[in-house]
Structures are given as structure tokens and as C-alpha cells.
Amino acid sequence: MSIFILAVFLILMLLGVPVAVSLGAASIGAILIYHTSTLASAVKLMYSSMNSFTMVAVPLFFLAGVLMEKGGVAQKIFDFCEDIVGWIAGGLGHVNILTSILFAGMSGSSVADVASIGALCANAMIRSGYPAAYAWGTTLASSMLASVIPPSILMVVAASVAQVSMGKALFAGIIPGVVLGVIMMIYNYIYCKRHKIGHVIPFNGRKLGRSFLSSLPALLVPVILLSGMYTGYFTSTEAAAICVLYTLIVSLFIYRKLKIRELPEIFMQVAKNTGTVLFVAITAKPAGQLFTLDGFPEQVAKAITGISSNPILVMLLIFLLLTIIGMFMDATAAIYIFMPILLPTAVSVGVDPLFFVVFMVIALSFGLITPPVGVCLYAAINVSGLSMEKITKGLVPWLILLFFGLMIFILFPQLVTGPISAIFPA
């Protein structure tokens, strides 16, 4: 039955049928043929999947990200980052990466990063003499960080599906995101020194102070979110609502880049984005139940652990599988479909469920920037006007670098789970 669902799903996907419709049709077909459930129970399951306080965080973080994008935050963050690291060799490359790290703490969306602040950074690099392929490769690679660093929308979805604490999962993304960003900055420094590209700006403490004060309202967003969740003052979902309210005030009354008349269009855009994600969630729920009834997760676990029971090798095999999946499937859909299948496999060899959530989000983030369905890649192509071949060529070294960065966490998972145990003692 599980093979039937996956086969029908993939065939419909290849025929161009939307992900949610393909998954729903495959599940209904399995119910009608194998009689393991009823259509009525499937409908109830779909409804219950959305009747969730936790999932309210998804549209709220979407809305906060769009408000940040439209509200003038991007330029403020760029100016601040330029004053911090613009004086180091490979200056604007560092600015690009650091800007993505800071913007990730506000938007939660890699696509928003590429389309707004990413385009600003890439164009600035090109004007300063960086090769266009390198500039956009840097932009795409750093955009992955928005899917890892809180308030990552993918992390919210993954934590919900895996039934782990959303607050812990969001906190757990901080160290991997920052470490990957530092690795990227080291590579950028070496590359720019070796090829003698880019120019630096003199360090100016006074200018840095001014840009810090100007960007402070935006920089407070992650501080408010994380401190509130850490102290237990509000939940992750309540944090998303507070983030929207604060962002709206900053955009309307402090930066004054957002007009009230623009809000209806923004709400419609967010509704469409949210509908796409949650429609997948609705149709994935009965598919997940059918996989469980069929014993598919246990069979996958036996197949993988039959190769090796070593946690490191198992995680490498899962990484390769997720990389391939991410290249051909939307990351959100992949989480809903494969988290229930692969999580038991990882847990069976001693992997912490919280670590696996973070690992899966990072692994699937590769698919956001790689062909053939990478949404961030196509956003970069549309914004830059460059060909897929040229951007992909500039992206390859970054993908290799990010792979070795992920290997660090596979070898030392305590880097992710250790700080969370200290912050949230049992």
C-alpha cells in the first residue's frame, strides 16, 4: 500500500499535478483499493490536522516575514552589516552572509531572503567587481540560513510533524545557522584574498554607531522572540503573533516604508502562501496514517539499519536520500511525507528526535537552492536575469562547503542538543 501511494504520488507529480492534489489522490486511491480506512475517517483526519494551535504560527511567521520585506528593514540591516564587516577582505561577501544571518532572525523564509535583502547584497557585490556567479552563489547559499535560524517556518512545520517542542526546535537552529554562516565567511575571506576581488571600506566607529541605532528596532525582533520563549512568558505561536504586531508597528511608524493601503495586498499574498503550505499538510495527514498502518516506517528502518546500525552512517544515508528528495520535491511536502517515515529510523539507532528535526530541515534546505525545483534558485534567476547554468556554477563550491558543515553536526550532534539541554533542563 505504501509503495502504491508513493508511486501514484510521483507519477502525478511528474504529470504536473500540484503536490497537495497528488498526495491526496494517492491516499484516497489507497483507501478505496486496500480498504484499510474510510473516506470519512480521512476527512476527519484532515480537519484535525488544521485544528491546531501550533500550526497558527505558520501564517503568522509568513506575515511577519512579508512585513519585514516590505517595511524597509532590508536596507537598514544591510547598512549595519556593511559597517560591521565591510572592512575585512572580501567585505561585501561577508556583508551578504551576515545580512542573511540577521534577516533570517526576522523573516523565517529563504525565498524572502533571496527576493529582498539577497538581491540588494548581490547587486552591491557585482557593482564592486565580484563575479556575478560568485555574488549570486553567495546569496543563495546564505539564504539557506533563513530556513535554519529562528523563526524558521520550515522548523515550525518540522517540529509540529515530529511532535517535539517547537520552542526547543527553534532554539536548536541558532547554533547550526551561525556555525554554517561563520564557515561561509571563512571561505569567502580565503577566496577573495586568493583571487584579489572586491574592495573593503575603512572602519568607521561613528558610522557603525549610527547604523546600529537606525537598525535597532529591526534587530530587536529576534531578541523579543527568543527571550520571551526562553523565559516561558509566551509560547512559540504567541511569539509569532507578537512578532507580527511589533513588525507592523516598526514598518508603519518607525521606518515608515509601509503604507496602510498596502496591507490588504500583503494579507492576500500571505493567505496564498499559507494556503499552499497548509493544503499539503491537510493531504499529508491521511497519507502518514496509511504509512503507519502499513508498517512502512518500520520497513524503511530495517532496510537502512540492515546496511549499518552506526548512527553516523545511517545519518549519511538519510542525508543522501533527503538531498535527492529535496531536489525534486517542495521542502514542506517532504517534511510532511518523510518525517514520519525517517524519524523512527533515526531514533532506532540512538539519534535524538530534536537533532533529527534540525538535521532534516538543513538537509532539505539544499533542495531550495538546487535544480530542478529549487524555489530560491528560480527566485534568483528571475531577479538577476542570469541563466541557471551560470548561477549553478557559482553555487557548486558553496554546496560542497555546506555539506562539510552539516557533517560537523552529524559527527558532533551535541553542538545542537547540548545547549538546548542547558537552556531547557528536563
Side-chain angles (χ1 to χ4, degrees), residues 68 185 215 218 357:
M68 284 284 179
M185 293 177 77
S215 61
V357 166

Side-chain angles (χ1 to χ4, degrees), residues 29 38 40-41 62 64 122 133 144 214 216 260 305 339 398 407 412:
T38 64
S41 64
F62 263 128
M144 277 181 59
S214 179
L216 184 59
I260 292 179
T305 54
M339 178 70 81
W398 293 106
M407 279 295 301
F412 305 102

